[in-house]
Amino acid sequence: ISILSNVLLAFAVIAVMVSAFIINNTFSIVLGQRVRELALLRSLGATGRQVSRSVRLEAAVIGIVATALGLVGGYLLASLLRWVLVSLDFGNLPGAIPIRLRTVVVAAAVGIGATVLSSLGPARRARSISPIAGLHDQVRLTPTRFRRRVQIGGAVTAGGLVMLAVGMATELDTRPLLTALGGGALFTFMGVYLLSPVVARPVANLVGRPIQRIFGVPGRLARENAGRSPRRTAATAAALTVGLALVSVAAVVSDSMKVTFVEALDDGVEADLFIYMNSFNPTAGFSPELASGIRTVTVARPDLVESTLAYRFGFGGMTIGDSVKDIVSVDLALLDDHMDLQVVEGRSNGPHGGDSVGAILVHVDPAQDLGLTIGSPVTAGFAGGRTATFTVAAIFADSTMLGNWVIDAAAFDRYLPDAPDSFVSVVYADGAAPEVARAAVEVFTDAYPQVTVEDKAELRATTEARLDQLLAIITVFLGLSLFIAVLGITNTLALSVFERTRELGLLRAVGMTRRQLRRMIRWEAVIIALFGGLLGVAIGVLFGMAAIAAIPETFIDVVSVPVQRLAFYLLISGMFGILAAIFPARRASRLDVLEAIGYE
């Protein structure tokens, strides 16, 4: 429950961050349209502080209304989620869903705070309006100077990249590592956001050229509209950039994890059959009697089953020095027949082929860190203040399946006797028919409904399916940020249509049809969405590489970039652009030509 709560909280933070970009962009556009009104207020005696305060108060009112609506919507969504869980047999949840005062306070702080903070930049610029500016017809809200924006953006990006490099290249504990990677990702994204107007125009022109060739004048106007205001294009696409960056990170990491596990199964697993818990959770296990029963097949039918190997996991079960280690136990004499750990030194069946009980197998990374070689003593601590000294029998390179530390089952039972079997592997005898040998094993596994029996191909397919399912769940949650991004593009285009009312009226006056006008708005949205998508995918791949470099090789040691999936995400972003343009395009096409020309 705690893990689920933290995951949901992380996605909530992402949604708020994406929304903040939209709020900031909306205030910038709206105040830009009201700049003459604000300047006239200054000319009538209002101070810059009063103008700025009025903008912040307006943001606070919007935040209060949004918080109230969000609380109601959140309660309804929570009720829907509870109904779904009950329908999926997660158990009956009696009573009404409670609403704590803490929930209301946090929601109000986040909703109002995010809205007010997002309005500070536009409010500061509104404060700088000169009273005399209200006398000019073409007065505009002056944004931050472009050169200054580039300088600040470059410095922030450089700082973020340095933090990412530190997290990727140095050995850090978990908390400092997450701080370096998280801070580096945040600063890098903020820097790229500040620098994005620099590339908005060339990217918009590049993406828009095929559209111009296909759709002619409407396509050309869409390309020029997207490129003529790079600040607005970048700000409009920012929310989509955030969403696609997060989805791309998940895609790169999950695909690399999947490739790592598949290659580990292909290259490191020699066994023919696997028995494990249905949840494939190493912390949960089953009785050792199952492996004992299968071993009777080895004695009774050696023509079918050659050997059976049980694996036990001791998470945090051993300490070396002041460091807690996870440990795995197997019968070292049989390990080579079932697993290929890619031994680089020594032998896995005991020191120099001797007694395996006092042997320990060590992955190359901790061996290098501790200066261990073949024959080195390793003093390990166990529960109850007991200690044992093992001898390094082998140093291996592949830790994907068994982790970094492996000891013999007899030694494990001596110090951790209550641990259940986590999974069991079976090797068929040479020449045995797989179907017959499997049937002989399933005579015993049928009495254990909590276990799954699979061969190597089935285990690979199951592993891939579970990782794909995990990615699908993450993508669904992140889809909320993409939905918010679509609302942002729709909002900005609607405000843009309102701002360009006279321009659109002139286009209609010189002969542009309603259909051409809708097409122009639609393809402008597509260009903006593709710009945000390209930027988001590029950032996501970069952050994915950083995450993979920081994740231990036990989980990921292969980098895989799912090009087809990322291309699909870009296609989806373009479709989102089309959806976002439906309402603004319809509104633009319905403008009365004469009223639009006379609009100020």
Side-chain angles (χ1 to χ4, degrees):
I1 292 175
S2 298
I3 294 174
L4 178 61
S5 298
N6 290 331
V7 170
L8 292 175
L9 180 62
F11 287 119
V13 172
I14 292 169
V16 171
M17 185 172 65
V18 172
S19 301
F21 283 102
I22 299 174
I23 297 169
N24 179 268
N25 193 33
T26 301
F27 269 102
S28 297
I29 295 175
V30 171
L31 292 178
Q33 295 171 352
R34 292 166 45 196
V35 66
R36 191 177 183 188
E37 170 192 332
L38 298 176
L40 289 173
L41 288 175
R42 290 294 311 279
S43 66
L44 293 175
T47 64
R49 179 175 297 180
Q50 288 175 321
V51 170
S52 179
R53 186 181 302 165
S54 70
V55 174
R56 293 196 301 269
L57 288 174
E58 181 179 347
V61 171
I62 294 174
I64 292 171
V65 175
T67 298
L69 294 175
L71 282 170
V72 174
Y75 188 86
L76 295 177
L77 286 174
S79 301
L80 176 63
L81 179 60
R82 184 175 72 165
W83 176 81
V84 171
L85 292 176
V86 173
S87 300
L88 295 176
D89 295 329
F90 271 78
N92 188 24
L93 303 176
I97 298 177
I99 297 183
R100 300 178 181 177
L101 178 62
R102 181 186 65 182
T103 303
V104 177
V105 172
V106 171
V110 171
I112 300 172
T115 308
V116 173
L117 288 175
S118 300
S119 69
L120 292 182
R124 180 181 55 81
R125 292 195 294 270
R127 180 177 180 176
S128 64
I129 298 174
S130 166
I132 198 67
L135 302 177
H136 297 277
D137 292 334
Q138 301 299 324
V139 63
R140 289 289 180 268
L141 194 64
T142 304
T144 305
R145 292 183 179 178
F146 202 73
R147 179 177 296 179
R148 184 181 178 185
R149 184 185 182 109
V150 171
Q151 292 172 347
I152 296 175
V156 174
T157 303
L161 291 176
V162 169
M163 294 182 68
L164 286 176
V166 170
M168 294 166 59
T170 58
E171 295 290 337
L172 299 174
D173 292 334
T174 301
R175 189 178 296 275
L177 176 63
L178 293 177
T179 301
L181 291 178
L186 179 61
F187 280 106
T188 301
F189 179 80
M190 293 304 300
V192 171
Y193 170 69
L194 292 172
L195 294 173
S196 57
V198 178
V199 297
R201 181 172 292 148
V203 173
N205 288 331
L206 178 65
V207 173
R209 288 195 182 279
I211 297 175
Q212 176 181 341
R213 293 176 183 174
I214 296 174
F215 297 100
V217 173
R220 177 184 175 183
L221 292 174
R223 177 178 64 83
E224 292 178 350
N225 287 336
R228 72 177 177 177
S229 181
R231 295 175 188 270
R232 175 175 298 176
T233 297
T236 304
L240 187 61
T241 299
V242 174
L244 276 180
L246 295 170
V247 173
S248 300
V249 168
V252 171
V253 173
S254 65
D255 200 69
S256 300
M257 186 180 295
K258 182 168 68 175
V259 172
T260 297
F261 274 95
V262 169
E263 289 191 359
L265 290 174
D266 291 341
D267 301 335
V269 176
E270 305 291 341
D272 299 300
L273 201 64
F274 302 87
I275 299 99
Y276 60 89
M277 292 291 292
N278 293 333
S279 62
F280 201 64
N281 179 7
T283 60
F286 44 85
S287 172
E289 293 180 2
L290 175 58
S292 299
I294 299 174
R295 290 191 185 99
T296 62
V297 182
T298 305
V299 177
R301 295 295 304 273
D303 58 321
L304 293 179
V305 177
E306 179 179 312
S307 63
T308 300
L309 188 61
Y311 305 79
R312 295 184 182 182
F313 288 81
F315 293 96
M318 180 179 72
T319 58
I320 296 180
D322 296 329
S323 180
V324 177
K325 306 294 183 184
D326 298 332
I327 191 168
V328 177
S329 78
V330 294
D331 185 346
L332 294 181
L334 300 176
L335 180 59
D336 286 346
D337 296 333
H338 292 251
M339 295 280 180
D340 180 9
L341 300 184
Q342 300 179 19
V343 174
V344 295
E345 290 184 72
R347 298 174 58 178
S348 62
N349 60 346
H352 311 294
D355 182 20
S356 297
V357 176
I360 188 168
L361 315 184
V362 187
H363 185 252
V364 290
D365 289 342
Q368 292 175 357
D369 294 339
L370 299 175
L372 301 177
T373 59
I374 302 302
S376 296
V378 176
T379 301
F382 295 92
R386 294 174 297 172
T387 60
T389 300
F390 298 97
T391 301
V392 177
I395 297 175
F396 59 92
D398 187 359
S399 60
T400 305
M401 299 299 295
L402 300 184
N404 290 337
W405 305 87
V406 183
I407 63 174
D408 190 75
F412 189 90
D413 291 340
R414 184 180 303 169
Y415 299 102
L416 297 168
D418 298 328
D421 288 349
S422 296
F423 68 97
V424 174
S425 62
V426 177
V427 173
Y428 298 152
D430 292 338
E435 298 82 3
V436 178
R438 179 168 181 168
V441 172
E442 289 179 339
V443 170
F444 296 92
T445 60
D446 287 344
Y448 294 82
Q450 75 272 29
V451 303
T452 297
V453 181
E454 292 181 337
D455 59 25
K456 192 173 180 178
E458 291 170 339
L459 181 61
R460 172 176 175 170
T462 300
T463 302
E464 290 181 331
R466 283 178 172 162
L467 290 173
D468 288 338
Q469 186 180 28
L470 177 62
L471 176 63
I473 293 173
I474 294 174
T475 303
V476 167
F477 276 113
L478 292 177
L480 175 62
S481 65
L482 298 182
F483 174 73
I484 297 173
V486 172
L487 295 180
I489 296 176
T490 302
N491 181 56
T492 303
L493 284 177
L495 293 172
S496 177
V497 168
F498 181 76
E499 184 181 36
R500 293 183 290 171
T501 298
R502 189 174 186 183
E503 174 188 324
L504 297 176
L506 290 173
L507 288 174
R508 292 279 286 116
V510 297
M512 176 173 276
T513 64
R514 296 179 185 270
R515 182 179 181 183
Q516 289 176 321
L517 190 61
R518 287 195 300 268
R519 184 173 292 172
M520 180 190 74
I521 300 294
R522 184 185 307 123
W523 289 112
E524 180 182 351
V526 170
I527 293 171
I528 294 173
L530 288 177
F531 167 73
L534 288 169
L535 196 59
V537 169
I539 295 174
V541 171
L542 173 64
F543 290 172
M545 298 289 190
I548 291 171
I551 294 175
E553 292 185 359
T554 304
F555 299 99
I556 300 178
D557 63 357
V558 178
V559 178
S560 176
V561 179
V563 177
Q564 292 184 347
R565 187 178 299 166
L566 296 179
F568 175 73
Y569 291 158
L570 288 177
L571 178 62
I572 292 296
S573 66
M575 294 177 62
F576 280 170
I578 294 176
L579 293 176
I582 291 177
F583 174 73
R586 182 183 179 188
R587 179 180 179 183
S589 65
R590 290 188 170 187
L591 290 174
D592 182 89
V593 177
L594 295 179
E595 290 184 1
I597 293 175
Y599 175 81
E600 291 189 10

